[in-house]
Every structure is written in C-alpha cells, then in structure tokens.
Amino acid sequence: EILALLLLSSFINSPITFGYLFGAYIASKIARSWFRGCLPSGGGGGLLSGGDDGEFDSSDHPEDYEGERRRRAAANSQVGPTIRLIPLGSDASAVLERVMAEENCGDRDQTTSVEAQREVSSKIEKMAPSAQPPKLKKQFQKERQNPKNHPDSELKEASNPDIVEDDSPKNDETGIGNESMSIDGSDNQLDNTNDGGNVEFNPPNAIEKMVENSIMSYSLDCYPYTFSPLLLFTNGGYFDKGYSNYNAVAAFFAPALRGLGGGARDEVGDREKDRRRRRTQSRGNKAEEGAKEDDSDANGEMAEEEEDEYEDSIDMLHGVVYDRKNLTYDELFTHIANTNALVTCCIDAHFTAFQMLNKNTLMYYDPLQPSLHIAKGERDVHNVALYLLMKCHYGDNGHVQDNKKHYTGPSSSRLQNAVFHMWKKLNNTSMNSLGIRWLRLPLNLSQYLFVNSKVTPGNMSTQLTGNTCYFQAYLFALLCKAGKPIISPDGRSVTLQDPDLLEKATIRICHFLLTFFVNSESRVVRPYTNSNFILDFYRYNHSPYYVSILKYLQHKRIKVPDYDKQYEGITMFYSFVKNLHGYDKFVLEGATSSTPNSKSLQYITSTEGASIKLGRGDYYKYRATNLMFGCNAGAMLGIGSFSEFNSWRKNQLLSFYEVIKGRISDLAQKLHSGRLTKYRDYYFMPQFEVGQQELIDIHHYTYLIDMCSMGKATGQLAKIVNDINRHIVTNIYFSTQNRNNYHKMMKTDQFVNTKRYMNAFLQNFLSVEWFSEYVGLGFSDINPKEKDVNSLTQTVFYQTDLMRHQGYRQEYEFEKECINQMARSNIRRFESMFQRGQNASQKYEASIRIGYGYTYSKYNTLMHFLNVAECYWANPDVNNIQVFGKDIRTLLSISCQKIFFDPSHCGYYYYGPLELRETFRTELDLAVASGSGRAGASVAAPKHHGGNNLTIVDRVYEFSYLEGILERLFQSANGTHIKSDNIVLNLLLLSLQLDFGLFDQYASLLNIPFMKDLQHEADTKELQVEIANLIYDFDRKHNADSITRSKVEELIFEVSYKFLVNKNFDVHSNQFKLISMLNADSDYQEYVLLVKIYMSLCSINKSVEVDYYKIKVDGSFHIIIPSNFSKKTSEYLEEITMHHSFSENNGVMMYDDIQVFDLRPHQPEINLYKIKLEPSDEIQSMVKYIEISNVFRALSTSKEQYLIFIAENSILVDVLDGGKMHIRINQVDAKVSTIYFNEAISFIPCFKYTEGEDVIIFTSRNIHYLVDKGGQFCPDYYGMKHELIECITTEELFVDLNDDPQFRKPKLSELLTESKVVVYFPDYMLLVSSRQQLINLLDYAIYIRNIGFFILVLFFLRRTSITLEYHERRDKVVQIAGPWKEAILYALNHATDSHYESIFEKQFVDVNQHKHLPLRDFIEVLSKNFTRYQRYVDGEYQIVPREKQKDFLEHIICGDECFHFSEVGSGKTKVIMPLLCQIFLSSNKEAHKHLARGGKQKDTLVILVPEHLLPDARTQVFRHCLNLNFRQEYRIHDDILNLLNKNVKLGGDQPRKQIFVTSFNQFKKALTYDKICKKIRPHREHMLVIADEVDDFLDRDKLVFNICSNKANSFDRDTLGYFHETSHAAYQGKHYQPSIFQPSPNPAYWKELHSKFLAIHDEIQHASKSLNKSFGIFNEQTLRHCATGISHDIEGYKALIAHPTLP
C-alpha cells in the first residue's frame, strides 16, 4: 500500500493534493483498525477450524500478545467464546489417549444397547486408576516409558482436509502448572509438567493452534458453554422448552465455522500465499534487524492475520437481529431492508425466522412447516416484518405509544402508517389473520444438506422434537448465511448461490457436535460443561437429531466419530482425576448487615433482615429509608403471615401519619356509619398497640385499604383511600413497563396521567392486589445520600408478569441485566406471598373442638383474672401461682388480648385459628407457631374447595367494653392499694392500665416497689427507663439459659396476633422451645410481663431502648450491648455459643486460643462476616463459588483468620498471601474441591482431608453454592422455575402440647437444618445416620442442580418416609417439569431408563442374590460387605467383624432360646445389630426359616433399645440398611408411633418389609393406642421383636456404670479397677471408702467422681420412674452437678457410663 501510494505520488505534481491523499490513507487505516477492534468479528477459538491461516503466532511475539488479547476478547464477546486452554499433565493425557486411540470412525449403527453401556462402564472401572488406588500413577508412568505400545505413538490424522501443519512450537513447550488440580499432590493432576509458559500468553484462539501444532498432550477447555450436545441429543419432552437465545447457539457453533470461508474474502489460496509470504519475510527481518524491528513486523503481521481470519468466517451474528434495538420500528425496518438482515423471532416460546431478500421480498421459515414462505410487495412485507418485530419487542414500543403524530401525520410515510396501524391491532391479530398472499417456494436443491429434507430435498427440515425450534431457526440462518438464497429467475424456487459452502458448514457443525466433549484431533477435552453429563449422555439413543446427524454424515461418506467414546473418555477422565477442581481463593465480602444500636429511630438501608425489622411491631425502632425501599421485594421476603404484612404496612404508613391523620382520625366512626363489616372480625388489633392512637388510626386504615381493593368500600370511604394515595404517589417510582425500556422510570406526571396505572394505584396501593400485580425491584442496599434517581439507585415498581418473563432473559444493557438478576432472585418467592389475591365472597364455618385451644376455659381467661382481682383486692396472700398456675401460656394468653373497636357491639366475639383445607396439606392461620407463608388475609383468599373452617378458642374484646370493666375494677377499690405484693399480679394490672389509658389515674393503686422510686409516679417515660433496667438486671442474674428480651418480644407479638392452641402445635418451632424454657422457672412470669409492659411503653412513648446480645461464655450467659445490632446475629450467637465452648480472658472472648470479640469497650464491635471461596484459576464447573455467612473473624493482627461453625464442627481458615488459604476442620488440614466419586455421585462441592481421601459434605443454610442460572442451568433446561424442595411434602410425626401424637405435612424446605456427612474412601458409599441428613442432602443436590445425586438421595429418603408427595402443579402453574420431573418418575419406578439403572444399581448392595446360600456362608459374605461401610485407614478397614461376633450372630438366629447374653463391648450395636437387619432384609431362605421361629415368615422387625442407646441404634440401621437391594420396596421407621398413620400398613397382598427402631418406653406407649393394636394383633405372627439390653426392659429400677477400654479411652488395669469400685459403690448407695483409693496417685479425683456418680444415679433413677420421660440420657440437666464444662462432661460420661448389666 505504501509503494502504491508512492507510485501514485510520482504522477501528482501538487503537494497539497498529495497531502490530502496521504491524509485520507492514514484516516482509512485508523478507521480500519477501529472497526476491526470494535465490530463483531469471527469469534475466538474452536475446533475443526480448517487450517492455520489467519493465526496469530504468540510464540513469535509474546510481548505483544497481552494488548491484542484484550482487543480480541472484546471483539469475540459478541460472536464466539474467548477460549482459554489449560494443558493437562502427561498422565491425564495418557488416560484420554488410551481411550480415544481405540476410536472406530467407520460407518456403523451407533445405537448403544444396555449391554454395550455396561461394557463401557466395566472397561472404565478396569482402566481407571481409581479402581486400584495403590497403583494410581505407576501403571501409566510405566506405559509412558515404553513408547512402542503407548497410544501417543498412534495419533490419528485430523479428518478435516483443510488442516495444515505448521512448524511452530508444540503445545508441550508452552504449558502452565496448576497444583490445585492434584488429587494427591503428585503426577496424576491436571497440570503441565513443563515450565516454559504462562496462561496469560495462551491465545484465545488456541484450539486451532493445538490442531496446527499436532500436539501430543490434551488441554482443558473450561469455558462455560451455554449450549451443549446434551440439550439437543435427548428425547422429546425431556426439557420443558427450548433455549430462547439465538446468540448463545450461534456463539456455540462459531468455532466450528472458523476459517471455512464465506466471509468478506473468499480467495483462500491468495490469502494463504500472502500469509506464508509475510511469515517468511518477518522471520528474515528478524535475522537482519534487531528486536525492535521484530516487534513492529509482528504487530503488522498479527493485525493482518486477524483480519484475514475473521473476514474468512461465516459470521452468524453479523446482519442478524436477535435482540432488541434502540430504534423506532420504521427505522428498524429500513435497517433490515437495506442490509438484507436475518431476523430470528421467539413468540410464545416458539422460534421462527425471516430473511429480507430485498426491500419488497421476504422469506419466512417456521420450523413446524417444511416449505419456505415468500412475501412479496410492499404491503405484505411491511405487515409480516412489522408483526414479527413488534411481537418480539425488537423496537421502541414507547415511541409508538407516545408519538402518534409521528406515524399518522401528513408528512408520515406509508411505512410509518403501517407501523401505527400494526401497533393498534397487534394484540388482537395473528399471523394467519394478516391476509398475507404467501408464495410457497421449494429449494432448488437435489441433494441432502441437512438443513433440508432428505426425502424431499426441496423442502426445509422441520423440528424433530417439541423443544428444538431454536436449533431449526439456527439451521435456517445457516442456510441464509452460507447458502446465500435468492429467488430463481423464473420465480418458482429458491436458489442457493453457494450450496458447496453450506454443505461444508453443515458437516462442520455435525462433526463438532459429535466431538465436542473430547476431540482427539485438536486434543481438547471439555469435561466441566455440565454436571449431569454422565447421567444424561445416553439419552442420545432416543434422540431423532442424533440419528439425523449420523445418517447425514454417512450420506456424505464422512467418517462418523464414535460418539460412545465421548462418554468413555470423559468418564475415564473423571475416574482418573477425582479431584476435579478446587476452591482455593479467599475473598472477604464484608460484615453482616446491622443497624446502629441506639435509642433513636434507625433507618433501614439493607434488605438483609428487613422483613423482621419492619414486620414485627418495632414501629418506633426501625423505618425504611424511603417508601420504595420498604417495598423492595428483598425487604419483604420473609413475611410469612398477614400479621407481619399488616405490621409492615403500618410501619410504612407511619412516615406519612402527620399528613394523613386528618383523614383517618375518626375512621372508626366512619367505618361504623358506613356499615363496612366484611371480614372485620379478622382485623383485630394486639393489646400492646392500642395505647398509641397513631397505631389505632393506621390499623383502621389498613382494613379500609383491603376493603377498597376488594370493591367493598365505596363513596366517602373509597375517597379517603384515593386522597391519601394521591399524596403518596409523589414518593413512588414506576417503570415504563415496556420491554424495550423497562429500566427507565415514568415521570410522576406521566404516571398520574396514565389512567391504567393511576386508577389501580389509587384503589389498590399497599393491598395484596397491588403486590400481586407489581413488584418492587432494586439493589439490596441503598445509599440515602445518593442524589441520582434511577433504576439502579432506587427501588422501582415493575409488573410481575413482565419480570417473570424477563428474569431469565439475557440482556446486553447493564441496567436491564441488573433488573433481570433482581427478578431472578426474588420474583418467584415474592409471587408466592401474594399469589391468590383477595375477594369479598369467601365464607367460613365455625366449630368448637374439645382440647383444641388452650384458653377456652373459664380459668384461663382475662375475665377470670379480673374477677379474682376484684374479689381478693384486700387479700395479701393471693399470688400468681394460685391464679395462673405454673404454665406460662396462661399468663401469655391473658396479657396478650386481641382488641377491636366498635362501641355499638355487645363487647366481644369468639374467634380462633382458620383451617385452610383446600391445599395439599391442612394449614393453620392465626395459630401460634404456624404460618401459611402468604401475606394476604386468609379469610379473603380465594378457595377452590369450600371455604374456611374456624375453630373457636378465645374471645376478642371490644376496646371500650374492656376499658369500662377495668375502670369499674379500679373505682371499686375506693382509692386503696391492692394488698397483695405479688409482683406478677401487680404487673399484669399495670399492663392493662397502660394499654387502656388508665395509668395516669389509677397507677397509685398498685403495690409495685420500683414505682415508688420514680420521680413522677405516673410518668411513662421514666417508667420505660426503669422497666428497661429491670429487664437488663433480670437477664444478668439469670445466666443459665438463652432467654432474651428480643425473643420474648417476638413471642408476645406472635401470641398477640394469633391464638394459642394445643392440637398441632409445632414442637419444633422456636415458640415451643421458648415456652418450654420459660416454664422451667416461675420467675419468668415476672420477666414476660416486664417485656410486655416494655413493648406497650415503646408504643406509647414512641421510643425504644438499646438492644443486647446474650452470649454463653465460660458456661454462663453474658449480656453484651454492641455498637451495632442485628437480630440474625443475635440468634446465631446464642445458638453457636450454646453448642461450642467459648471463654473470656482479660475481657476478650475466645474460642480455644482464637480471639473473636473484644468485650472491653462499653459498646464493643460485634460483627459476623460473609466470605467467598472461589477457584484461583479458570478451571471451574457449575458451582462458580461457595459463599459462607455468619463467619467469625479473629482479632489477631499477625495473621488473618476466620472461624466457621457448621453442624457441630469448627472450620478455621487462615488467609495467606495472594488470596490463598489454609483450611482446618477440627484442627485437621482440609481443602475445598469439586469431587467425582462415582457415576452416581459426581460434581460434588465438598471438603476433603488433605492427608486422606475421605470427603465431608456440609449442608447448611449458611453455605450458598452459586450455580449460574443461565445457559444450561436456566429453567428451560436443568434449572427450575420453582425450587423443587418447596414442592415436596412429607408426613411428619410430632407430639403436641396435649402429649398426643400428630401428623402434619410440611414442605421439605421447612425441615432443613445443618448436617455433616462423611463419605469414606475407597468405596465412596453414601452413608447417612438419620433421615434429617437425607432431607438436607436432597436440598443440597437440588441447590447445585445435580440430578444424579438427587435421584440417589431420593431413593434413600423414600425408604425412610411415611409418604412423600410431589406437587407438580399448583393451580394452573406447573412447578415440576423437565429433567427433575423425569428424575422423580424414575425414582418412583414410573419411568424406565436402562442407563440410569446401570448407574444406580451399583450404589446398592444386592443381598438377595444369595437367596440359596447356606446361613454361615451368607454371614461371611455380609461380613465382607460390612467392611465397605467403615473408614479405611492405613490400608485396612477400621471395623471388621470378628469370628466371635459371627458365631454370636449365627447363634442368635439359629438358637431356640429367646435370651442371649453378651459381654460389654462385644459390638452388639455397631456390628451384630446392623448385620441382623441386613439378614432380615435379604431373601436368604435358611436365615428366614430360622427367623420364623417355627411360625410364619417375618416381614416386620422391631428393634427395641434403651433410651440412651436409641440414637446410636438408629444411626447404625440407617447407615447399613438403606442401600440394600436396588428397587426393593421396604421401609425403615425411626419411631414405632408411625403405625398411627394410615399410610403405614402391616401385611396386605404384597407385604413389604419394615423395620421399626424405637425405645422400650415408646414401645410401651405405642401399645396403649387402640389404632396400633388393631394393626399389630392380626399381624403379630409376622413380626419379630429384637430387644437389646432386655434386662433394662424387665427391671428398669437400676442404673449400672460399665467401664470399658477403647482407643479414645485406654486405661490400665488398676485404673479400671478404681472405676469399677466407684461405679459399684454409686449403684449400691455405699459411702466413699478412702482406704480402697489411697494407693492411687489422685485419691481426691475418685472422691469427687463418686459424688458425681451418686448425683447422676439419683437423677436418672428418678426420671426412669415415669413411662414417658427420657431414661438414661446425659444432658445439662442431669449433669448440672458437675462444676467443669458441661459439654466436655457429657462426652466424658458417655465414654465411661453404659447401661446394660452389672460389672
């Protein structure tokens, strides 16, 4: 170009003309460089690229690569993935090559049978090093030393003829190490064994470089592909819908089309010559010139090569409209017409596309129809194009709506007129009603090119399954881009200008799909693209697309890759590596959200915990920063009942009270005069609020809001709501609600003038109807000082329907993508809170049930107390125990009255909980400790089956009626003090005086000592300070438990808004636990009333006191007033310090030697933190990172440490330089990795011990695994629109407050806790110790979107459950679909899958195969299998059944006697009982012959153990009996009372085996129920009862201490003798004898131990007398006599004390 310019200058005489020419040349070069860097280009990286032309050789110029890499990354972001390759180590490559070298590329039928699949699995097991752990590396290293037989010496040539070899350096010279991928720190890891390279200089298009270099080792491609062959090669209907992102599919196939031709330059030969010439010239220049000249040449060569490559690729995104544009529709149509663009359309989840051939000709393709539709003429083309563009919202919808004159004015064009007319009729028309004169033309093709029909080449191919229209649209795009269609001259067909290029392109994409996971030609492996690869790979056998691709390649006589080898290669890779990748980078995300702990009103600036702060009655303590932030969906999530929703509304409206009080001050009278009484009985008010007029007025207004939204409030009442909302409207932000610009906000004037929105706002704002239609979305934190108001700084209202659809779309505008992410995180749970709306036509039936309520008794009511107070006013001896008893529930129900306001009413009405029976489970509303999870008033919620069922349990009093009774009571005292000085009675009267406005007048009548010390006796503010001090002093004195003011406040809030019941009271709830603690000490009656009075005073005075934490340190609870307070932090610290031993040293709180909090300041900083563990490199799978909350941060200044508590375990994280970390679990070194165990348990993020191979799976709500919800894990594929754990219910047994067994149906999500499951090397069997662990693991599998692990856990969970119900639909909403539905059907045996069977069958031990084996031989087999359940250490299993144990087991089975004696420590619980259960679950004939005991075959086994052995017995049965006999239906119950359930049946036509593990006391209790006896009696001959330690059952009046030696407790003979003497003396009640213990080195120890043993013996002996009390359990109560740390004592006594026989 320079030479041509100089030559031209010789003919130009004018310097000025030459200057202009040279300037134009420079400008063109700059523009060319800019376009090359900014416009979409050919994509980066890929397979089968067709050669090395256009390649940038970074090895020639590594110093220039970094800047070019950034430029190309920006360019590639639009068209193809920027791929980074990580070389594998030689051993991992050898494993892959061994598999792939056997690949048969001949034409053959690849339909894989079940036998073939099992053959592949068998081969993998034999070849994989994991099958022989001791030979992990030697085998492969030995083979590599002998190159003659090694597969690397037999590399195959690439099948693509365009691939040209180059003489550039090989890949093995430019590798990078990656130590984090090692499974054991040695050679079998995913790293490169060479030292020469750096990952930063691995070019983005390195895949072609690998092909070009004919490398020997494989490389790892970890790019997170959003598309996969798994999504295409599957049976129809497996996925719910197709992927609605053309960009993702086009980017996926971009590497396959690289270098194919069809770009801006088609002269491939000339370009190849130019490239080689430039390379030769560049290398020559290197020899002659210096390094600086080399750099300049390299830059020129690189730029030209890049341009050549990109111009020589089929750009499937250039000239394609697949997303919205910021253009008006007339501009958009002009653009696509001028550029002959291709437009892909997705309407109602169905893909179509059209290609503009010219301004007046359009070609339309529908994957459901084989013919191409041609529209000609201006009218038809305008109608078709505009209809499709508008349906897809590709243009500016708002512009059409707001600028009618632009489209209909005198100067408007015909196109603009067409735009407006189409816009008006868009919602009432369809493609068929447009009146298009379609011309159906065939393709002028005689050959099969995959995009067309093989039978009729002139027809297009159609979609082969119901959800692959997106792929067909891509094929049509490929036809247009590669084939370049035109209308034939005769107008009778569509002619392709370049069918050869189309043929090459289709062959490329077909080959790419079949070699995607392991490409033996380019030496690239992609094992991490989908965690469900192993499970779903063989679905290709049922895929019509796989068959179509196979036949197409065969038709073209192309060697077909063996697709089975993909599975074999990837599975072999997993088996070899095991430790797939690590999470070894530490990131601190910050402290847990909290608010300043002061007496002033605190404004909420974070959504974390906001629903608790705004919805629990803290009206004058917390307030949202502004109205909109309070309406943020994140701030509202957590509202679980109407009481909380109504409290939230009151909090929001208090900000406007001064403005609106003139309209609502007399609202109660207006409601009465307007005779508005619908549902009025449901809207009662809690007593602690009625002392504040503000709250009374706003309470009435919230009722009016709901009535107005339901259309019951009219006239003046409706006007009140409208007027108030007109004032509030200036405080809201509202989206445009247009798909093209929904991230923009309407101006207030525009919103007010839009009747559709404004009318709904005036009538419904803050009602359930409003929130069912609109959702507030914004970031989780707000900066009050931010002046810029937009959708990213404020919360904005969006239509829920709009956000439901937009939430899972990918946007390229930052604001829209942020809003979509907010919707993804919140919309589903938010909609469930307001899903049904409300209406005024619901009815209910009332009933009275005996024993249902607690307060429906004349002795448990407020009237009874007031009568006693009046009658015994002058009696000094009356006390609270006489009046209320010891049950705190009586005091709670009396002090927390429900109030309504209607002076014309008789005074009270009866009310109670509402049963909602129309759902899949019976739910209770308005019952303490229960919540429906919905914010609306359940009394007005639409019902599908009948109405509500009201159970009357208590009275609701009218305010003036109760006020009058109280006033008469105090007047009757005639000015005399109450004689009784009982503080509880006086505080209750004080509470009533405060709430009903009688305090000023009658406070002097009370006999309360601290009121006499007040400066002003009737001053509520002084009283509030005094009450707060009393509560604080009470907490300091009572340091034996975790009761706090905050907890009691929440209980009072719950009891004030709901009714106490006995039936169905959730004994696992926080309310039940707190009530139990309050009942333990009668002093807490005073404490409850102090807190109740404090809550009333907070409302009356509109002020609060500071909060505090109650933390257990050194065995007792301490009160700490922090500078910042968080309720979540308070609850967590209480829980953790109760279960872990913290101490205090010089004012510093410590755990072991780790300092966690400095308690010396007056208000110390108490913060918990959130941390993130992520991969330090680019090797990642579906879980991108692991986030852990509630983390302690050490105070040490020398090193950064963090402490985590999960499931009774402590995890210490030491942060090292560069973000690295060192992890210890209970002081044992560990690391966090994603691990492959076997085919069923793979891709599991977990903790792994560094020194061993055992793996720990922690489950906790404090651990968040981030799975990318887009791409392959979007809801249409492996994701889910509704969390599956919330769609599964189970029947659970619990004992209510009447001590009656009850069954309820909670969602599994309501039962989640923390747990720890250890998976033992080398068998990696899933062993759990409880049903709770299975529930947690099921949630974990769902959380990480791991279907294989989900199925396995579900198999186990079904065997331990009474029933599991899966709710596929709720109303018309589908909740369970796609792979998860298939997984459930398979687990239920309602669907068959041979590949699934081959995978999961291996996870079960088949004991039925030994049906005819002699009993002794059968015991030997079981004993051998038994070792696989044990820990493997130092080359041997830790527990191996001994011969003596085998003999005893055989003796138990075959012996005629019923009683069998075994000494202590013989392994009855841990060995003999599990083996006996396995024998029972088997079908061994000889064993069952003996177990029949001369009677009928046994199918029910009852295991009876003493109470203290019950947890261990359950653990052993669960661990050893859940994975037996694949597909056999049997059940294991952890409670004999499950027999009360109708679904637990004994016998029947096809009886299934059942095991019940229970205690003696529970068994005796079960036999007192007629329902159980009726089941057992006719079936008793088929039942076998095994009682362990039966002597306790026969004689429970004893307690024996047995001392045994083990590894954790090894004593010499003399010490054992002292232990026996001490325990025997305690049992016999003898005194301590000093002479016996005098020879010991520590006689004082034995004297103290003797006294402890005596105390414990007496305590448990007393407890054992009661049938229904725990017997033999060592806890804080029974060990309270011990002075040292309780937690240590418990473990110590468990090791020393057993409960079977005399020593």
Side-chain angles (χ1 to χ4, degrees), residues 300-408:
E301 176 187 348
M302 173 187 66
E304 293 185 22
E305 287 179 355
E306 285 296 311
E307 180 185 4
D308 289 339
E309 179 185 352
Y310 294 147
E311 289 181 352
D312 191 38
S313 299
I314 301 177
D315 189 348
M316 296 300 294
L317 295 178
H318 178 69
V320 180
V321 177
Y322 55 86
D323 205 356
R324 288 182 290 279
K325 309 295 180 186
N326 290 324
L327 298 172
T328 61
Y329 280 106
D330 53 323
E331 293 172 341
L332 181 57
F333 178 85
T334 303
H335 167 72
I336 65 173
N338 291 338
T339 58
N340 288 342
L342 171 74
V343 181
T344 61
C345 310
C346 184
I347 303 173
D348 296 331
H350 180 63
F351 260 95
T352 58
F354 68 88
Q355 169 75 50
M356 295 296 298
L357 300 180
N358 54 56
K359 290 186 177 181
N360 293 318
T361 308
L362 174 150
M363 181 169 62
Y364 174 73
Y365 170 67
D366 185 341
L368 294 175
Q369 300 180 20
S371 58
L372 292 173
H373 292 66
I374 308 298
K376 287 189 174 183
E378 183 180 275
R379 172 191 168 277
D380 286 354
V381 170
H382 282 180
N383 282 341
V384 173
L386 291 176
Y387 173 80
L388 293 172
L389 291 173
M390 289 181 180
K391 282 300 239 183
C392 297
H393 305 279
Y394 281 161
D396 189 345
N397 296 327
H399 190 270
V400 184
Q401 182 178 355
D402 301 335
N403 299 276
K404 180 179 180 180
K405 292 182 180 180
H406 173 78
Y407 296 93
T408 60

Side-chain angles (χ1 to χ4, degrees), residues 340-537:
N340 288 342
L342 171 74
V343 181
T344 61
C345 310
C346 184
I347 303 173
D348 296 331
H350 180 63
F351 260 95
T352 58
F354 68 88
Q355 169 75 50
M356 295 296 298
L357 300 180
N358 54 56
K359 290 186 177 181
N360 293 318
T361 308
L362 174 150
M363 181 169 62
Y364 174 73
Y365 170 67
D366 185 341
L368 294 175
Q369 300 180 20
S371 58
L372 292 173
H373 292 66
I374 308 298
K376 287 189 174 183
E378 183 180 275
R379 172 191 168 277
D380 286 354
V381 170
H382 282 180
N383 282 341
V384 173
L386 291 176
Y387 173 80
L388 293 172
L389 291 173
M390 289 181 180
K391 282 300 239 183
C392 297
H393 305 279
Y394 281 161
D396 189 345
N397 296 327
H399 190 270
V400 184
Q401 182 178 355
D402 301 335
N403 299 276
K404 180 179 180 180
K405 292 182 180 180
H406 173 78
Y407 296 93
T408 60
S411 60
S412 301
S413 64
R414 289 194 301 272
L415 174 60
Q416 290 169 336
N417 285 328
V419 169
F420 187 78
H421 289 302
M422 181 59 68
W423 172 261
K424 288 201 309 181
K425 64 180 181 181
L426 183 64
N427 294 328
N428 299 317
T429 190
S430 63
M431 180 71 82
N432 295 331
S433 63
L434 291 176
I436 306 301
R437 296 181 295 272
W438 290 111
L439 180 63
R440 292 178 172 81
L441 297 182
L443 291 168
N444 189 11
L445 284 176
S446 59
Q447 58 176 329
Y448 176 41
L449 297 180
F450 191 67
V451 299
N452 59 336
S453 171
K454 183 178 181 181
V455 179
T456 308
N459 289 342
M460 285 292 294
S461 62
T462 56
Q463 65 185 76
L464 302 179
T465 59
N467 58 2
T468 49
C469 51
Y470 66 96
F471 181 67
Q472 290 297 140
Y474 176 79
L475 293 182
F476 174 73
L478 190 64
L479 169 79
C480 297
K481 289 292 183 180
K484 302 178 180 64
I486 59 173
I487 304 297
S488 64
D490 60 4
R492 294 184 177 182
S493 64
V494 176
T495 301
L496 301 183
Q497 300 181 68
D498 197 346
D500 294 337
L501 182 62
L502 178 60
E503 180 181 25
K504 292 179 181 178
T506 53
I507 291 175
R508 286 280 190 89
I509 65 171
C510 291
H511 198 278
F512 183 73
L513 284 167
L514 295 179
T515 59
F516 174 75
F517 297 105
V518 182
N519 194 304
S520 58
E521 299 162 358
S522 60
R523 323 295 277 182
V524 174
V525 58
R526 299 181 178 92
Y528 300 150
T529 59
N530 195 304
S531 57
N532 298 300
F533 169 84
I534 292 179
L535 198 69
D536 283 347
F537 177 85

Side-chain angles (χ1 to χ4, degrees), residues 1564-1681:
K1564 289 186 287 185
K1565 181 178 179 179
L1567 295 180
T1568 63
Y1569 291 96
D1570 294 338
K1571 192 172 183 178
I1572 292 181
C1573 292
K1574 289 179 181 179
K1575 285 185 179 181
I1576 291 180
R1577 184 169 182 81
H1579 193 71
R1580 63 188 184 279
E1581 294 186 14
H1582 297 275
M1583 297 181 66
L1584 182 67
V1585 179
I1586 297 178
D1588 188 13
E1589 301 190 9
V1590 69
D1591 47 343
D1592 279 337
F1593 179 63
L1594 299 177
D1595 179 14
R1596 58 186 172 87
D1597 188 17
K1598 66 177 183 177
L1599 176 67
V1600 183
F1601 299 87
N1602 287 298
I1603 313 303
C1604 58
S1605 295
N1606 51 48
K1607 288 189 176 181
N1609 184 21
S1610 182
F1611 303 114
D1612 56 32
R1613 181 176 295 274
D1614 292 337
T1615 303
L1616 283 175
Y1618 293 136
F1619 271 120
H1620 281 301
E1621 288 294 338
T1622 307
S1623 63
H1624 190 265
Y1627 172 70
Q1628 297 292 341
K1630 298 180 179 178
H1631 296 290
Y1632 172 76
Q1633 299 181 13
S1635 58
I1636 298 178
F1637 302 96
Q1638 192 62 38
S1640 68
N1642 52 348
Y1645 170 80
W1646 301 108
K1647 183 177 181 180
E1648 182 182 0
L1649 183 64
H1650 177 266
S1651 62
K1652 291 181 179 181
F1653 276 10
L1654 282 175
I1656 295 170
H1657 180 274
D1658 292 340
E1659 183 75 28
I1660 298 178
Q1661 192 67 37
H1662 174 74
S1664 68
K1665 302 296 184 181
S1666 173
L1667 178 68
N1668 296 321
K1669 291 289 184 69
S1670 297
F1671 174 37
I1673 293 181
F1674 303 99
N1675 50 40
E1676 293 188 21
Q1677 179 66 19
T1678 56
L1679 297 181
R1680 66 180 185 274
H1681 312 279

